[in-house]
Amino acid sequence: MRIFDPHIHMTSRTTDDYAAMYDAGVRALVEPSFWLGQPRTSPESFYDYFDSLLGWEPFRAAQYGIAHHCTLALNPKEANDPRLLPVLQELPRYLLKDHVVAVGEIGYDSMTPEEDHALAAQLELAADHGLPAMVHTPHRDKAAGLARTLDVVRESRLAPERVILDHLNETTVAAARDSGCWAAFSIYPDTKMDEDRMVRILREYGTERMLVNSAADWGKSDPLKTRKTADAMLAAGFTDADVDKVLWQNPVEFYGQSGRLELEPEKPEAGGATYEGNSILRGGS
């Protein structure tokens, strides 16, 4: 079984997680930029973070046979902090980088005017750079948040087939599907979706333009939820081809629109590789 996790925050995870993911079948992933649990206080902290998603994390993933890509953006939560708005002016130089396969996460957290501005501006950046967009739908007032998101998407120059709507659930999946955008679901231990609910949605809506991710971060989450969803699909009577469609082909097709998807990780150097003089081995060079 091959798995592509289209949304996971590996900067929050350990090398043990990379090893377990590989053993579970994960061969590729996309890491969206997001907030760090506490507020950033300057734009410069974003740039160091972006650099790590373009350098250190692909190196770390490659040591475990996993191809790493990222999406970059000013995230919805921090779009409300005026100190951080210069990030929007700096993003274009990062969106040119090879491993960037979309603009994201963008969208809504609290549905403020500041978030309206950041969402619209970054959809335009995606159009300017020929990239798709990963859109975070809010965890509160999901139906209203999705409706507001779709209004902004329709007003942008980005075609709906180049937009993925993430963190969907039973209350938002129909509208998301009707919009022509791709639909993504985060599978969590206690919140958001779980495997059984995901199986029921796939039974009702089919497998076209549907993605499943773990969205694992530093909170209570599970980087193996993609594999657990695949196993739940098989137990419910879905075929191997159905699983491959949702867990591999769909994310490849969506992010492949960037023209930058490379599904073979760089091979580790003989004798132990380093990145900027650092290895993943504690105590190593």
Side-chain angles (χ1 to χ4, degrees):
M1 182 185 297
R2 56 182 182 174
I3 294 172
F4 187 140
D5 192 330
H7 180 160
I8 183 168
H9 300 288
M10 291 307 298
T11 193
S12 311
R13 311 301 304 194
T14 67
T15 51
D16 288 349
D17 290 322
Y18 272 123
M21 289 162 63
Y22 184 88
D23 289 344
V26 177
R27 296 295 181 269
L29 62 85
V30 168
E31 178 163 1
S33 58
F34 77 139
W35 73 301
L36 297 179
Q38 66 180 33
R40 292 181 176 93
T41 58
S42 71
E44 287 73 18
S45 62
F46 274 88
Y47 312 146
D48 287 338
Y49 173 52
F50 292 166
D51 287 340
S52 75
L53 296 185
L54 291 164
W56 173 244
E57 282 305 324
F59 166 81
R60 209 161 63 109
Q63 307 311 299
Y64 291 90
I66 297 175
H68 182 288
H69 302 81
C70 67
T71 76
L72 300 180
L74 173 62
N75 65 80
K77 190 176 187 69
E78 292 182 300
N80 294 290
D81 189 336
R83 296 174 298 177
L84 306 179
L85 293 182
V87 173
L88 294 175
Q89 279 67 58
E90 289 295 319
L91 268 173
R93 70 184 176 93
Y94 284 99
L95 297 180
L96 299 172
K97 304 293 185 179
D98 288 342
H99 289 285
V100 181
V101 293
V103 176
E105 298 179 57
I106 58 177
Y108 287 111
D109 178 58
S110 300
M111 290 185 281
T112 64
E114 291 78 11
E115 292 171 21
D116 287 329
H117 169 73
L119 173 56
Q122 292 181 101
L123 287 171
E124 293 306 303
L125 282 176
D128 290 342
H129 288 80
L131 292 172
M134 171 192 279
V135 178
H136 167 106
T137 60
H139 300 306
R140 303 175 298 277
D141 299 324
K142 293 193 79 69
L146 178 63
R148 190 161 170 177
T149 298
L150 291 175
D151 285 343
V152 180
V153 169
R154 292 186 192 102
E155 292 167 2
S156 77
R157 292 183 292 118
L158 207 60
E161 62 267 21
R162 295 178 69 81
V163 175
I164 190 164
L165 302 167
D166 212 342
H167 306 312
L168 298 176
N169 63 14
E170 294 89 344
T171 68
T172 51
V173 58
R177 298 276 288 169
D178 291 346
S179 73
C181 298
W182 293 67
F185 302 82
S186 299
I187 313 301
Y188 261 46
D190 297 321
T191 59
K192 299 177 182 165
M193 296 289 296
D194 64 27
E195 300 94 316
D196 294 333
R197 290 166 62 195
M198 190 68 236
V199 165
R200 290 194 291 271
I201 284 176
L202 289 169
R203 277 178 170 158
E204 182 172 356
Y205 293 95
T207 61
E208 290 295 326
R209 291 185 288 113
M210 303 284 267
L211 281 75
V212 169
N213 62 68
S214 69
D217 58 16
W218 27 247
K220 189 171 183 181
S221 52
D222 182 351
L224 302 184
K225 278 295 188 182
T226 48
R227 175 57 189 256
K228 292 172 182 177
T229 301
D231 291 341
M233 289 177 66
L234 292 173
F238 284 91
T239 66
D240 289 339
D242 293 328
V243 171
D244 194 64
K245 174 76 171 170
V246 174
L247 273 298
W248 184 266
Q249 296 176 42
N250 285 350
V252 167
E253 183 178 347
F254 178 75
Y255 288 114
Q257 295 178 98
S258 69
R260 300 175 182 173
L261 205 59
E262 297 179 7
L263 297 175
E264 289 295 327
E266 294 183 12
K267 296 193 184 315
E269 299 171 10
T274 63
Y275 179 80
E276 297 289 340
N278 187 29
S279 78
I280 60 172
L281 303 174
R282 296 283 62 87
S285 61

